[in-house]
């Protein structure tokens, strides 16, 4: 069984190294789950291990003719057009794709539950046309699939962590929009899955939320906001279509010795559906070059810590993990001689952006000890892999800190300080956070979904005294003047 697990890891890793086998990536995760963690309801659970290996090989062979092999000399862009006709801004094909993704999400959840039951442990954007639009569509769909898979995996990891410390706390599941009934034929490609855990031994309250807008229309105000933030040759206007997807998470720890963890990754794509008018010698005319749809898309996201007491080794460990990821992708960019994206994956830039964003100007203090934060990152194959890497690091960068601090005794004074700092967390969310302000500004906001990141308990105390030289004072010194941790 150990050897079979290793083989399955090799199979999952093959597509990352051999371009033609990118075709098999969507099958690898499902096959690995089937082989190592078969569901109770699956007929394959009764098969001998060797039969599962043979079934895996059959599935790989069956997968090949449906999509065709890519030759080693094929253009790199061909890797992004494995599935034709999947346009996030086309209602019918988009709906079918997301229905399939939702069913796969349910399968992953079922596999994870069975496993538990069995006791197992800022850049410039240029308009893109024709084939480039297909690239954007495929990258977008790839990212949506990844977010759904990642959410299911995180849920299982967090629940396993709670079980390790004798807690029965589990995530609730709240679906809305198209995810209420994936089989509904006329469902709009808009919806989400909100997962919430409360009252755990490790996590007092936590949420992991997936949101998808597969087809939307830019309002005048939103188009103006995007134009103000983007330095692009593409003129974004009211009425242009957009698609967006995001996975966000916040874990409020019960122990004040374990920092609160917040993270998210997101994508936003805009596509022109109307022709633009240009002026030549004072005579306006329709520009044929711009009459076909063009698009632009970008990623955003990050991860950061909000500790209540300063444990420098924990903060250094957290920052080092994300710096190593940034350095790895930055080195790849430099090897590609891509001068335009020289600083695209700069840890120093993302760390500074995180410090700048999570700042309470009225109090002249930062919310936490930061991490990385990025926005307006041009959507490419390289940036997609980087953003996936960020999400893959979320739990490995936080769980070791939990395991190191969870059993530290807690005093009433420490608990009260935690509640006071949580008050600052909520203060930032309500006054400054763009996501919360945007969510509450909608005509019919999902208030529970928007406010799901709020701490479960907080405290506000007038002019709380902080003793000089105390652990609270040491934390405040860093919050007033952030450090370069690595």
């Amino acid at each position: 069984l150990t050897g079979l697990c290793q083989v399955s890891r090799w199979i999952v890793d093959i597509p990352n190294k051999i371009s033609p086998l990118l075709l098999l990536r969507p099958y690898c995760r499902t096959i690995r789950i089937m082989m190592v963690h078969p569901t109770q309801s699956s007929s394959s659970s009764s098969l001998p291990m060797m039969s599962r290996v043979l079934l895996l090989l059959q599935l790989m062979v069956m997968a090949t003719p449906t999509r065709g092999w890519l030759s080693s000399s094929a253009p790199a862009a061909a890797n992004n057009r494995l599935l034709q006709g999947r346009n996030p801004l086309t209602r019918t094909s988009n709906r079918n794709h997301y229905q399939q993704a939702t069913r796969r999400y349910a399968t992953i959840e079922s596999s994870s539950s069975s496993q538990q039951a069995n006791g197992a442990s800022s850049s410039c954007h240029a308009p893109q046309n024709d084939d480039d639009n297909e690239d954007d569509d495929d990258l977008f769909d790839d990212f949506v699939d990844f977010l759904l898979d990642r959410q299911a995996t995180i849920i299982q990891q967090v629940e396993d962590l709670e079980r390790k410390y004798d807690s029965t706390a589990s995530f609730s599941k709240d679906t809305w929009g198209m995810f209420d009934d994936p089989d509904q034929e006329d469902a709009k490609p808009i919806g989400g899955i909100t997962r919430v855990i409360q009252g755990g031994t490790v996590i007092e309250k936590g949420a992991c939320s997936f949101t998808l807008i597969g087809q939307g229309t830019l309002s005048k105000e939103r188009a103006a906001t995007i134009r103000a933030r983007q330095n692009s040759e593409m003129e974004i206007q009211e009425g242009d279509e957009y698609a967006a997807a995001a996975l966000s998470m916040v874990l409020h720890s019960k122990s004040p010795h374990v920092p609160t963890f917040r993270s998210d990754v997101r994508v936003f794509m805009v596509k022109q559906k109307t022709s633009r008018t240009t002026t030549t010698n004072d005579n306006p005319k329709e520009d044929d070059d711009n009459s076909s749809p063009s698009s632009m898309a970008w990623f955003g996201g990050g991860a950061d810590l909000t500790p209540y007491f300063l444990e420098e080794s924990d903060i250094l460990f957290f920052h080092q993990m994300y710096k190593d990821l940034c350095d790895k992708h930055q080195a790849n960019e430099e090897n590609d001689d891509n001068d335009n994206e020289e600083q695209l994956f700069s840890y120093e830039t993302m760390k500074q952006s995180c410090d700048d964003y999570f700042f309470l100007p009225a109090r002249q203090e930062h919310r936490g000890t930061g991490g990385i934060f990025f926005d307006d990152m041009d959507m490419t194959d390289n940036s997609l892999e980087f953003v996936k890497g960020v999400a893959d690091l979320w739990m490995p960068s936080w769980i070791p800190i939990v395991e190191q601090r969870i059993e530290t005794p807690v005093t009433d004074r420490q608990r009260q300080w935690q509640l006071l700092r949580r008050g600052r967390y909520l203060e930032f969310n309500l006054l400054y956070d763009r996501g919360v302000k945007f969510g509450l500004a909608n005509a019919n906001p999902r208030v529970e979904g928007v406010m799901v990141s709020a701490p479960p308990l907080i405290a506000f105390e007038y002019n709380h005294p902080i003793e000089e030289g105390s652990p609270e004072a040491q934390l405040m010194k860093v919050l007033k003047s952030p450090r370069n941790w690595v």
Side-chain angles (χ1 to χ4, degrees):
L1 181 59
T2 302
L4 186 59
C5 292
Q6 184 61 50
V7 170
S8 68
R9 292 190 187 99
W10 290 340
I11 292 172
V12 172
D13 194 48
I14 284 174
N16 297 326
K17 294 181 170 58
I18 305 178
S19 176
L21 292 182
L22 284 170
L23 301 168
L24 301 179
R25 177 180 291 172
Y27 297 89
C28 289
R29 295 192 188 103
T30 304
I31 293 170
R32 181 180 176 185
I33 291 171
M34 178 193 70
M35 292 173 61
V36 184
H37 309 302
T39 61
Q40 290 178 332
S41 60
S42 172
S43 61
S44 66
S45 61
S46 61
L47 292 176
M49 282 295 174
M50 185 55 65
S51 297
R52 292 182 196 164
V53 173
L54 295 176
L55 179 59
L56 178 146
L57 296 175
Q58 289 175 348
L59 287 173
M60 292 175 67
V61 173
M62 291 169 60
T64 305
T66 61
R67 297 187 182 185
W69 290 98
L70 295 176
S71 67
S72 58
S73 61
N79 289 341
N80 303 322
R81 294 193 290 275
L82 304 180
L83 296 180
Q84 298 299 324
R86 284 169 45 185
N87 182 350
L89 300 177
T90 303
R91 180 171 176 176
T92 302
S93 60
N94 181 58
R95 181 184 65 241
N96 294 338
H97 173 65
Y98 296 135
Q99 286 173 344
Q100 295 171 7
T102 307
R103 295 189 188 101
R104 185 172 67 257
Y105 176 85
T107 302
I108 295 171
E109 281 192 300
S110 176
S111 300
S112 299
S113 300
S114 176
Q115 173 189 352
Q116 182 177 341
N118 292 331
S121 23
S122 200
S123 65
C124 300
H125 305 277
Q128 303 163 339
N129 298 288
D130 302 329
D131 290 344
D132 290 333
N133 285 335
E134 295 178 11
D135 292 346
D136 282 352
D137 295 341
D138 291 333
L139 289 174
F140 186 97
D141 289 342
D142 185 354
F143 190 59
V144 169
D145 292 344
F146 170 78
L147 295 185
L148 286 166
D149 291 344
R150 178 50 46 191
Q151 185 186 38
T153 301
I154 288 172
I155 298 306
Q156 186 59 46
Q157 289 175 315
V158 173
E159 290 184 346
D160 287 347
L161 184 64
E162 288 288 347
R163 302 296 172 269
K164 182 177 179 179
Y165 297 99
D166 301 324
S167 169
T168 59
S170 299
F171 280 86
S172 63
K173 183 177 180 180
D174 180 21
T175 59
W176 58 280
M178 66 172 291
F179 294 95
D180 277 339
D181 184 6
D183 296 322
Q184 185 178 351
E185 291 301 325
D186 59 346
K188 293 182 179 180
I190 298 174
I193 306 171
T194 302
R195 306 297 303 269
V196 178
I197 187 170
Q198 302 180 93
T201 299
V202 178
I203 300 170
E204 193 167 3
K205 178 188 175 186
C208 186
S209 303
F210 169 78
T211 305
L212 170 68
I213 302 176
Q215 182 181 23
T217 303
L218 289 179
S219 64
K220 181 178 180 181
E221 294 76 13
R222 186 175 294 181
T225 300
I226 295 175
R227 284 198 305 270
R229 291 180 54 195
Q230 303 296 326
N231 180 15
S232 170
E233 298 176 12
M234 175 177 165
E235 185 179 356
I236 299 173
Q237 296 184 5
E238 177 184 4
D240 285 343
E241 295 182 338
Y242 74 92
L247 181 66
S248 60
M249 178 173 67
V250 60
L251 301 175
H252 291 289
S253 54
K254 183 176 182 179
S255 169
H257 299 290
V258 177
T260 287
F261 178 55
R262 185 220 66 89
S263 56
D264 78 303
V265 286
R266 56 194 182 274
V267 64
F268 196 93
M269 179 168 68
V270 179
K271 180 173 289 188
Q272 293 179 347
K273 298 295 288 184
T274 59
S275 61
R276 299 298 190 242
T277 301
T278 59
T279 303
T280 304
N281 297 328
D282 298 327
N283 293 322
K285 68 175 183 179
E286 189 176 278
D287 189 343
D288 292 335
D289 292 337
N290 291 332
S291 60
S292 60
S294 59
S295 67
M296 59 182 292
W298 59 94
F299 290 114
D304 62 274
L305 289 182
T306 302
Y308 306 101
F309 293 96
L310 191 64
E311 297 290 348
E312 295 191 7
S313 60
D314 295 346
I315 313 304
L316 189 151
F317 163 79
F318 182 84
H319 278 264
Q320 187 67 58
M321 290 198 73
Y322 289 97
K323 184 180 188 301
D324 290 345
L325 176 70
C326 292
D327 290 349
K328 172 185 174 182
H329 285 269
Q330 187 61 43
N332 292 339
E333 283 296 307
E334 293 172 355
N335 290 337
D336 292 340
D337 295 327
N338 194 337
D339 295 335
N340 293 330
E341 296 181 328
E342 183 179 353
Q343 298 301 318
L344 182 61
F345 304 121
S346 166
Y347 162 80
E348 289 76 16
T349 300
M350 295 183 192
K351 193 267 185 187
Q352 185 61 51
S353 296
C354 190
D355 291 340
D356 292 344
Y357 183 79
F358 295 105
F359 179 68
L360 291 86
R363 296 186 182 274
Q364 288 296 297
E365 66 185 47
H366 297 262
R367 192 179 71 177
T369 52
I372 63 171
F373 181 86
F374 57 93
D375 215 344
D376 303 331
M377 179 181 286
D378 212 1
M379 185 171 72
T380 64
D381 293 283
N382 291 340
S383 62
L384 174 62
E385 292 306 311
F386 171 78
V387 175
K388 287 182 177 181
V390 170
D392 286 339
L393 274 185
W394 287 350
M395 304 315 294
S397 67
W398 184 71
I399 288 180
I401 299 175
V402 174
E403 295 172 337
Q404 180 75 13
R405 307 296 172 188
I406 187 65
E407 295 179 344
T408 304
V410 178
T411 66
D412 291 341
R413 170 176 169 170
Q414 291 170 337
R415 172 62 170 174
Q416 181 64 15
W417 175 249
Q418 179 189 35
L419 298 183
L420 288 171
R421 292 310 308 171
R422 282 182 178 178
R424 298 291 193 270
Y425 195 101
L426 183 61
E427 194 174 307
F428 173 85
N429 280 10
L430 294 176
L431 295 178
Y432 306 111
D433 187 75
R434 289 200 303 255
V436 172
K437 293 168 69 175
F438 173 78
L440 295 177
N442 290 333
N444 296 296
R446 293 183 65 254
V447 178
E448 290 295 318
V450 175
M451 295 298 296
V452 74
S453 62
L457 294 171
I458 64 170
F460 281 94
E461 181 180 325
Y462 180 76
N463 201 20
H464 178 77
I466 299 177
E467 298 179 8
E468 186 176 352
S470 66
E472 294 87 347
Q474 293 176 9
L475 175 67
M476 290 306 301
K477 182 178 180 181
V478 172
L479 299 184
K480 293 285 186 180
S481 180
R483 283 188 204 169
N484 294 320
W485 293 99
V486 293

